[in-house]
Amino acid sequence: MSARVFVPADAAAVSVGADEVAAAFESAGAQVVRTGSRGMLWMEPLVELDTGAGRIGYANTTPEDVAGVLSGAAPGIGVVDEHPWLASQRRVTFRRVGVVDPASIGDYEAHGGWAGLRRALSLSPAEVVQEVTDSGLRGRGGAGFPAGRKWQTVLATESEQKFVACNLDEGDSGTFADRMVVEGDPFTLVEGMTIAAHAVGASEGYVYVRSEYPHAVAALGRAVDTACTHGYLGRDILGSGLDFDLHVRVGAGAYICGEESSMLESLEGRRGEVRARPPIPAVRGLWGRPTAVNNVLTLCAVPMILADGGAAYASLGTGRSRGTQVFQLAGNVRHGGIVELPFGVSLRELVEEYGGGTLSGRPVRAVQVGGPLGAYLPASGLDVPMDYEALAGSGAMLGHGGVVVFDDTVDLARMARFAMEFCSLESCGKCTPCRIGSVRGVETIDRIIAARDGQGDVPADLALLDDLCTTMTQGSLCAMGGLTPMPVRSALRHFPEDFEARR
Amino acid sequence: MTASTTDRAALVSAIAAAHAAERGPLLPVLHDVMAELGHIAREDVETVAAALNLSVAEVHGVVSFYRDFRTEPPAAHTVALCRGEACQAVGAQALYDATCARAGSLGDDVEVEEVFCLGNCALGPSGTVDGRLHGRLSADRLDALTRDWR
Ligand SMILES: Cc1cc2nc3c(=O)[nH]c(=O)nc-3n(C[C@H](O)[C@H](O)[C@H](O)COP(=O)(O)O)c2cc1C
Ligand code: SF4
Ligand code: FES
């Protein structure tokens, strides 16, 4: 019998040669199963050999290593499930990612798939909403709004047509969990959206995938087709009477289309300009109809919540941050990847224990949490617990859970400039504080940097920058302009020396 | 890509017709035009507008809003490098600046673009080479990946 090996087809693994490794295993006569990634990204390509004693991992495999893996001569990392980095996590949303064949609906069912949907269909919509409310689940896209409350609004709004829309725009630098769960376990999103459709009374759903994610588009498209064939989508799902069609749509390269109303504009075929609110999308969303808009990770938590009950999910976490959070370790970090843990773990544990410090081996100087609109925290501020409220108390935000590590070569004035530049490039243009303020911000920081490195009047420009930040915070229609001051001000506050004249 | 004007109009009309029954068909149509023809020319905007019963101004407004929709034919080869924060933390800005400065040394007709995050932020610097994603990029790695262009 030929050996069975698991080789990730995840985009990150492919970016460092997993396809070539898979081809080499096939040439050597092995049976290759393409999976998602376990999220131990620094080990990619991480291949796993099926043995009687579990799946043994081989890190950073190249085509030249294939013979050694098959003969048992290559040094492995042991049984992957028992690797401490993985075994110490609490994988809920990511429990199947890297384990199952994402193309196999049979694999999905064998690993607990569809249990949540079956239970949901035996409950009334209001009961499903109650389960989600009881779980304490909050939106994972960034704003942290309670999912049950949003669904309740959609359910309670009368309309002959309602929609569910999934936000897979994932534009934040340092984040990749939406992509990985959809590439590695796409049926979970299909199941979560179908449960959402039943809960709010929607008959159609849309997934908005950014165009930078072609692997995710392909995996999801395949899963939707397969689910239709097997009666998990379409008419009279599992004989319940529920009709639900799911469509996959691709974005076109605009960060602002991750903002929910801009995403709806884009889905409707317009420029991705932010809509004024009210009305909120839950009342008037896609084509003016009530629409439940949720992030991928929010929707992917739902099947487990329905299968095991809201109380089981709520038993994890801390304070008003219930359940698990999928943290993403990125940037200058030795052990980058996916760390799923209950809320409340400290940033230090993520960066130092899981992350293993910097990739460069130099000291950690700054960590940006929560994407391009998130704060830069200093090495002395890493003891903050990772939950919504504690981070807010530190002048930071969780965002989509990205943790980007920088070593001591980082120049925070340059990073503050980049925040303004990014805003100026990605602003939808609808309001002046964001569109013009960000351009002024770039110019002002350029002067500060020039003065710092030579001669000039730094204090006056620092005051101007502070005014600009205030104007943007107070006068912007959405969080693009409203939160760009967060990275800028956190850089000024924690790293003032980077803005001062150098002697 | 050497379609005559009438062929081009017929092709674009057929693409639009294939999506006409969908809700909000404009982005899917424009993506297909990009995939088939490499760019969206001014006459394509007119054809799409007519086929979908939209104004030319509306279609033009959408084309100009999104980075993916280009109105000029692309270069023979494209390198897109990530300038997101996570990639900057491992030297992406220097790689981008250096690659822009030596684009000509990679090949005859090479365009170097900036992108902001490709979802490969633990394995940066990230980028795409003719659409294919690569991690842990360096100048040497780019040389190797573009060898066939020279
Ligand atoms: C500039 C900007 C970009 C955003 N990008 C995303 C994104 O890429 N993905 C996402 O899920 N939410 C994003 N959001 C948040 C959404 O507006 C919205 O809150 C979210 O999709 C709701 O889903 P949730 O409640 O499940 O988090 C963004 C918000 C802003 C202001
Ligand atoms: S803050 Fe910026 S992105 Fe948001 S609506 Fe205003 S201009 Fe558009
Ligand atoms: S920041 Fe470069 S891939 Fe995400």
Side-chain angles (χ1 to χ4, degrees):
Chain A
M1 209 183 82
S2 69
R4 202 153 77 114
V5 290
F6 300 88
V7 183
D10 179 273
V14 169
S15 85
V16 287
D19 283 350
E20 290 77 2
V21 171
F25 274 112
E26 263 159 17
S27 307
Q31 185 200 336
V32 176
V33 181
R34 299 305 298 270
T35 60
S37 163
R38 297 276 196 161
M40 302 200 272
L41 292 173
W42 76 98
M43 292 194 195
E44 295 294 357
L46 172 61
V47 309
E48 299 177 31
L49 182 67
D50 206 4
T51 72
R55 286 160 59 162
I56 309 287
Y58 296 87
N60 304 118
T61 304
T62 65
E64 292 71 48
D65 300 330
V66 162
V69 170
L70 292 174
S71 72
I77 62 160
V79 175
V80 176
D81 278 323
E82 293 166 6
H83 193 283
W85 201 86
L86 204 55
S88 61
Q89 297 189 27
R90 182 66 188 251
R91 293 237 168 149
V92 176
T93 303
F94 265 70
R95 76 188 137 162
R96 280 182 288 259
V97 178
V99 177
V100 298
D101 173 357
S104 165
I105 198 166
D107 236 13
Y108 184 64
E109 174 117 47
H111 285 81
W114 310 120
L117 176 61
R118 285 183 211 285
R119 172 144 182 274
L121 293 175
S122 75
L123 301 175
S124 72
E127 287 168 329
V128 176
V129 171
Q130 191 60 47
E131 259 331 327
V132 173
T133 303
D134 291 345
S135 76
L137 177 66
R138 293 168 67 174
R140 297 290 191 254
F145 190 82
R149 201 141 34 104
K150 187 182 287 185
W151 289 16
Q152 177 57 41
T153 304
V154 182
L155 174 62
T157 306
E158 294 284 334
S159 176
E160 72 274 18
Q161 169 92 59
K162 297 180 190 177
F163 296 98
V164 176
C166 173
N167 191 336
L168 178 33
D169 201 51
E170 198 166 61
D172 287 2
S173 160
T175 67
F176 40 82
D178 294 349
R179 177 184 69 64
M180 288 186 64
V181 73
V182 166
E183 288 185 25
D185 187 21
F187 291 111
T188 295
L189 180 59
V190 173
E191 183 176 352
M193 289 189 74
T194 309
I195 294 170
H198 173 56
V200 305
S203 57
E204 255 182 76
Y206 288 83
V207 185
Y208 188 84
V209 193
R210 67 200 300 250
S211 60
E212 291 85 348
Y213 284 1
H215 294 78
V217 172
L220 191 58
R222 200 170 47 210
V224 168
D225 290 346
T226 309
C228 283
T229 314
H230 286 78
Y232 293 98
L233 284 174
R235 306 290 123 239
D236 191 20
I237 291 169
L238 301 181
S240 67
L242 174 68
D243 295 340
F244 182 57
D245 291 320
L246 190 52
H247 306 280
V248 179
R249 287 292 177 87
V250 180
Y255 176 76
I256 195 57
C257 287
E259 193 284 330
E260 59 184 1
S261 68
S262 164
M263 180 184 91
L264 299 179
E265 286 291 302
S266 187
L267 280 169
E268 291 183 24
R270 283 192 291 276
R271 296 162 66 89
E273 283 172 7
V274 172
R275 297 178 183 173
R277 52 198 294 163
I280 56 172
V283 174
R284 282 177 60 87
L286 276 176
W287 295 286
R289 307 295 187 178
T291 304
V293 181
N294 281 116
N295 172 254
V296 173
L297 297 181
T298 314
L299 289 161
C300 286
V302 166
M304 178 271 175
I305 288 168
L306 265 294
D308 298 349
Y313 194 75
S315 73
L316 302 168
T318 174
R320 295 205 292 118
S321 306
R322 309 311 314 178
T324 59
Q325 170 65 35
V326 180
F327 299 103
Q328 299 132 80
L329 303 186
N332 195 335
V333 64
R334 239 173 94 203
H335 299 155
I338 295 288
V339 180
E340 182 172 2
L341 285 170
F343 283 100
V345 58
S346 75
L347 181 56
R348 186 176 303 284
E349 190 171 346
L350 287 176
V351 171
E352 293 179 357
E353 305 295 316
Y354 284 94
T358 63
L359 180 68
S360 60
R362 302 179 67 93
V364 173
R365 179 153 185 255
V367 179
Q368 188 180 28
V369 179
L373 308 177
Y376 287 96
L377 294 172
S380 60
L382 300 187
D383 292 310
V384 58
M386 298 293 276
D387 70 64
Y388 294 104
E389 280 71 33
L391 279 165
S394 288
M397 65 167 195
L398 180 64
H400 185 47
V403 173
V404 176
V405 181
F406 294 81
D407 73 10
D408 62 351
T409 61
V410 67
D411 177 346
L412 270 300
R414 293 236 158 255
M415 298 320 294
R417 181 196 191 276
F418 178 78
M420 287 290 189
E421 182 195 7
F422 185 70
C423 182
S424 72
L425 291 170
E426 298 294 342
S427 166
C428 84
K430 196 156 177 169
C431 50
T432 321
C434 170
R435 188 184 69 237
I436 307 292
S438 55
V439 176
R440 294 283 168 270
V442 172
E443 294 164 359
T444 309
I445 300 175
D446 274 341
R447 282 198 304 274
I448 291 171
I449 291 174
R452 175 193 77 177
D453 296 341
Q455 292 299 310
D457 183 10
V458 178
D461 281 321
L462 284 176
L464 183 59
L465 183 58
D466 196 55
D467 280 352
L468 266 172
C469 284
T470 303
T471 307
M472 289 175 74
T473 305
Q474 292 174 353
S476 296
L477 185 58
C478 84
M480 177 86 227
L483 287 178
T484 290
M486 188 182 278
V488 176
R489 282 186 149 145
S490 62
L492 280 161
R493 177 171 154 209
H494 299 299
F495 306 92
E497 62 276 21
D498 285 16
F499 297 83
E500 287 160 7
R502 289 185 169 161
R503 273 173 282 267
Chain B
M1 263 201 236
T2 49
S4 72
T5 311
T6 46
D7 287 348
R8 189 168 179 120
L11 181 59
V12 172
S13 297
I15 289 170
H19 289 284
E22 294 168 16
R23 291 185 200 267
L26 184 52
L27 263 72
V29 167
L30 294 175
H31 273 304
D32 282 2
V33 173
M34 285 293 301
E36 289 289 328
L37 297 165
H39 75 289
I40 300 165
R42 192 180 348 183
E43 64 262 33
D44 303 334
V45 170
E46 287 161 15
T47 311
V48 169
L52 297 181
N53 212 2
L54 299 168
S55 75
V56 171
E58 198 171 350
V59 177
H60 174 77
V62 169
V63 169
S64 63
F65 185 84
Y66 296 96
R67 197 180 294 126
D68 287 0
F69 300 141
R70 46 189 311 151
T71 53
E72 299 292 332
H77 297 289
T78 307
V79 174
L81 295 176
C82 178
R83 285 185 64 221
E85 288 91 336
C87 285
Q88 285 196 42
V90 286
Q93 185 65 44
L95 181 67
Y96 173 73
D97 292 341
T99 309
C100 287
R102 70 178 188 112
S105 75
L106 296 175
D108 271 347
D109 186 17
V110 177
E111 185 175 319
V112 179
E113 289 178 352
E114 60 180 7
V115 285
F116 297 94
C117 195
L118 296 161
N120 196 29
C121 330
L123 295 174
S126 297
T128 61
V129 175
D130 278 347
R132 240 197 109 181
L133 180 66
H134 295 276
R136 295 285 188 238
L137 280 173
S138 61
D140 286 350
R141 191 84 191 101
L142 276 177
D143 277 332
L145 290 167
T146 57
R147 188 165 296 138
D148 295 348
W149 300 354
R150 295 185 286 277

